[in-house]
Amino acid sequence: MSTHRVNLDALIKREDFETGGADSVGGREPIFKVEELSHDRMYFGVLRKPDFQRTTNNWTPEMIVELVKSWLDGNLVPALILWHSKQSGKVFIVDGAHRLSALIGWVNDDYSDGSISRGFFEEIPPAQVKFHKQTQELMTQKVGSYNELHRMGLNPLPTDDPNKVRRARAIATLQPAIQKVEGDAQTAEDSFLKINANPAT
């Protein structure tokens, strides 16, 4: 397996957990379909990770591709643990930043040198560009790009790969597994620190 690591840190904004209080008790269930991870969708706009979380840059291209493939194929993918702040309406990732960033990267075709990353980093190092392209190529070979599968889901052709058509339909029917943190901002922060005492995925 490649030892290269892809920098997905730009894909979810960082922010402080709010100060605790009655108004910050978890709101409605943070449920979404993968289309909501597109950069122009409202759900993507409310996603946050705690500002003290370590950089999301520990996965190889192979790991990113395998996560997306596993999810589309209905294989076991550990649940995302989210906290929905009623006070701000934002959704914080307590556990699963790499898993969620892999899906965001796929939907937006951004593996460290797409439009979101270019707007975040002052400069994209050549190695980062290389890993971005490597991940794109591997995703196309093993899974299919999001745009390709989206087209197949809407307008499948007789010549389309049946596996890709099946995965395309999964975009509309599958939802990432989610566990919700109940409680205020302090509870969410305590949960994050406890879970992330060990390396996270």
Side-chain angles (χ1 to χ4, degrees), residues 7-109:
N7 192 337
L8 302 175
D9 205 44
L11 302 184
I12 304 173
K13 294 180 180 178
R14 279 185 165 76
E15 192 167 309
D16 285 330
F17 281 121
E18 291 91 348
T19 303
D23 286 340
S24 59
V25 175
R28 290 174 293 180
E29 206 65 35
I31 293 172
F32 65 94
K33 294 285 177 59
V34 75
E35 296 107 316
E36 297 302 315
L37 300 179
S38 176
H39 69 93
D40 58 353
R41 301 296 285 267
M42 189 70 73
Y43 193 82
F44 172 81
V46 301
L47 287 172
R48 296 291 187 273
K49 56 189 172 187
D51 63 350
F52 48 80
Q53 186 180 51
R54 58 182 169 269
T55 304
T56 311
N57 65 350
N58 199 40
W59 277 22
T60 65
E62 291 86 353
M63 293 167 73
I64 293 169
V65 171
E66 184 59 31
L67 182 283
V68 175
K69 181 177 181 294
S70 294
W71 179 72
L72 287 171
D73 289 348
N75 297 329
L76 178 64
V77 174
L80 304 170
I81 301 179
L82 306 179
W83 178 68
H84 184 180
S85 168
K86 185 177 178 182
Q87 182 176 350
S88 69
K90 294 170 184 173
V91 176
F92 286 83
I93 294 84
V94 175
D95 186 58
H98 275 86
R99 297 190 295 276
L100 186 54
S101 294
L103 289 172
I104 292 172
W106 177 61
V107 170
N108 295 281
D109 194 29

Side-chain angles (χ1 to χ4, degrees), residues 88-141:
S88 69
K90 294 170 184 173
V91 176
F92 286 83
I93 294 84
V94 175
D95 186 58
H98 275 86
R99 297 190 295 276
L100 186 54
S101 294
L103 289 172
I104 292 172
W106 177 61
V107 170
N108 295 281
D109 194 29
D110 190 339
Y111 308 106
S112 72
D113 188 34
S115 60
I116 301 170
S117 293
R118 288 195 295 267
F120 177 83
F121 296 111
E122 292 184 4
E123 183 179 353
I124 307 292
Q128 197 165 310
V129 175
K130 177 182 176 181
F131 302 156
H132 168 88
K133 291 179 179 177
Q134 185 179 0
T135 309
Q136 279 183 318
E137 292 169 2
L138 192 62
M139 190 70 76
T140 298
Q141 294 168 9

Side-chain angles (χ1 to χ4, degrees), residues 17 50 52-54 78-83 92-99 178-182 186-201:
F17 281 121
F52 48 80
Q53 186 180 51
R54 58 182 169 269
L80 304 170
I81 301 179
L82 306 179
W83 178 68
F92 286 83
I93 294 84
V94 175
D95 186 58
H98 275 86
R99 297 190 295 276
I178 291 171
Q179 291 183 343
K180 180 182 175 184
V181 174
E182 298 284 357
Q186 187 60 55
T187 301
E189 182 171 346
D190 291 345
S191 298
F192 176 88
L193 294 174
K194 181 177 180 180
I195 292 168
N196 289 279
N198 296 312
T201 50

Side-chain angles (χ1 to χ4, degrees), residues 148-156 160 164-165 168-169 171:
E148 179 187 21
L149 296 193
H150 192 271
R151 191 276 300 163
M152 289 182 183
L154 291 174
N155 184 30
D160 286 337
K164 288 188 175 182
V165 173
R169 291 172 178 151
I171 294 172

